[in-house]
């Protein structure tokens, strides 16, 4: 529904193409190379049901229960989809939406009213995705990630009814350099992680463009992006904690990571293109 709404807005805008663009030959639109800049907003929906998973004997298999000396589940307090605002009671703030900006190189081939093209794009958004685990200590353990930068290469296919408007769908592969962060209110154990990671996935969506001069077009676009990020691990060590610490009972340490490998975002953006 979101994509259809965006296309409806662009369809309406084609009625109001400026008078100075009316002497164009519409049959020459959307054919050949172009460059674009753009920006908009990235929406990061809360990933319902995400948790933190544990490997208490460091055998590479996650899903172990961290238990206390008495055999109780040390994380029975639970988990929340967001970053902790306190060390207990599942108090978390929502995932962070934010602005994005990008640059693009593209090429279109027009065949009658149909257009096929390819796009290479790079940019950045500041959306952040977090999840927090709460132990019975009480203490909080928060995992957060956002993209330092992103890139994608995709195809697009569209239809132009004439009059300088193009409606299209698009999709392809995506890459992100991910900035992973970990924070905790636990001051006893030691914590080490492997920092920034590389993620690969896909992106898909649709949009519309309107020519406003012989060479300049404006557009509106929606993209859904899903990046797989399964490399970030936090290693929990002894620190100053006693041997009875739940993280240390089974082999002297525990590894922990997010239960979901997917970093999913929705982007709504405007574009400004120069066509050669």
């Amino acid at each position: 529904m979101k994509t259809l709404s965006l296309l409806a807005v662009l369809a309406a805008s084609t009625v109001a193409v400026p008078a100075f663009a009316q002497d164009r030959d519409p049959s020459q639109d959307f054919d050949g190379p172009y460059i674009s800049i753009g920006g908009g907003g990235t929406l990061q929906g809360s990933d319902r049901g995400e948790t933190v998973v544990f490997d208490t004997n460091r055998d590479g298999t996650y899903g172990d229960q961290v238990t206390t000396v008495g055999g109780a589940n040390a994380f029975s307090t639970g988990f929340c989809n967001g970053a902790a605002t306190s060390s207990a009671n599942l108090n978390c703030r929502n995932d962070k939406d934010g602005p994005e900006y990008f640059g693009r190189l593209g090429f279109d081939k027009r065949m009658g009213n149909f257009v096929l093209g390819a796009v290479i794009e790079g940019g950045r958004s500041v959306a952040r995705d977090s999840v927090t685990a709460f132990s019975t200590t009480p203490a909080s353990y928060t995992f957060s990630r956002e993209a330092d930068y992103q890139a994608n290469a995709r195809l697009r296919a569209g239809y132009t009814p004439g009059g300088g408007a193009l409606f299209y769908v698009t999709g392809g592969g995506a890459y992100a350099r991910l900035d992973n962060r970990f924070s905790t209110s636990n001051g006893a154990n030691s914590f080490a992680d492997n920092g920034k990671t590389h993620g690969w996935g896909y992106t898909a969506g649709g949009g519309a463009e309107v020519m406003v001069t012989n060479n300049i077009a404006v557009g509106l676009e929606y993209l859904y992006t899903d990046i797989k990020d399964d490399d970030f691990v936090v290693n929990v060590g002894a620190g100053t904690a006693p041997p009875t610490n739940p993280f240390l009972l089974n082999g002297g340490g525990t590894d922990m990571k997010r239960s979901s490998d997917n970093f999913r975002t929705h982007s709504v953006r405007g574009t400004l293109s120069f066509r050669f």
Side-chain angles (χ1 to χ4, degrees):
M1 293 299 296
K2 186 182 293 184
T3 302
L4 293 177
S5 299
L6 296 179
L7 295 181
V9 171
L10 263 293
S13 70
T14 63
V15 180
V17 175
F20 62 77
Q22 300 303 310
D23 60 351
R24 294 181 3 266
D25 179 1
S27 67
Q28 303 302 309
D29 292 339
F30 311 111
D31 190 63
Y34 63 93
I35 59 173
S36 302
I37 57 173
T42 303
L43 311 177
Q44 212 303 303
S46 294
D47 302 310
R48 295 179 181 177
E50 187 178 10
T51 65
V52 175
V53 290
F54 305 92
D55 177 9
T56 58
N57 58 5
R58 293 179 169 171
D59 64 355
T61 301
Y62 288 83
D64 301 334
Q65 179 175 288
V66 179
T67 58
T68 65
V69 172
N73 181 359
F75 283 88
S76 60
T77 306
F79 309 88
C80 71
N81 302 311
T85 57
S86 71
S87 60
N89 301 322
L90 302 180
N91 291 324
C92 289
R93 56 179 173 269
N94 292 333
D95 289 334
K96 178 184 176 184
D97 302 332
E100 66 170 65
Y101 52 89
F102 63 89
R104 174 187 298 171
L105 297 175
F107 184 89
D108 286 330
K109 178 63 179 177
R110 180 167 174 173
M111 296 165 285
N113 291 104
F114 296 94
V115 176
L116 294 178
V119 174
I120 298 174
E121 180 179 277
R124 187 176 190 274
S125 80
V126 296
R128 184 177 303 143
D129 176 26
S130 302
V131 63
T132 300
F134 292 88
S135 67
T136 55
T137 317
S140 62
Y141 305 79
T142 298
F143 289 73
S144 296
R145 59 188 167 202
E146 64 180 72
D148 278 344
Y149 57 85
Q150 295 175 268
N152 63 67
R154 47 192 167 87
L155 301 176
R156 69 177 192 168
Y159 177 77
T160 175
L166 173 68
F167 303 90
Y168 63 89
V169 293
T170 184
Y175 163 81
R177 174 65 165 169
L178 294 168
D179 182 6
N180 295 280
R181 300 179 186 182
F182 173 78
S183 61
T184 180
S185 60
N186 177 342
N189 293 96
S190 63
F191 299 87
D193 62 64
N194 54 340
K196 298 185 179 184
T197 59
H198 302 275
W200 297 88
Y202 70 92
T203 186
E209 287 188 33
V210 176
M211 298 296 300
V212 294
T213 74
N214 285 333
N215 302 101
I216 296 176
V218 296
L220 192 63
E221 184 176 69
Y222 163 79
L223 283 181
Y224 170 78
T225 303
D226 188 344
I227 298 292
K228 187 176 180 63
D229 171 34
D230 58 358
D231 295 329
F232 185 68
V233 176
V234 173
N235 311 119
V236 187
T240 60
T244 55
N245 181 274
F247 287 120
L248 308 177
L249 288 179
N250 190 7
T254 295
D255 291 343
M256 55 194 300
K257 68 176 185 176
R258 308 175 70 128
S259 64
S260 174
D261 297 336
N262 301 97
F263 181 36
R264 302 181 177 99
T265 57
H266 303 266
S267 297
V268 180
R269 63 254 289 268
T271 62
L272 176 65
S273 302
F274 181 84
R275 291 184 168 270
F276 296 96

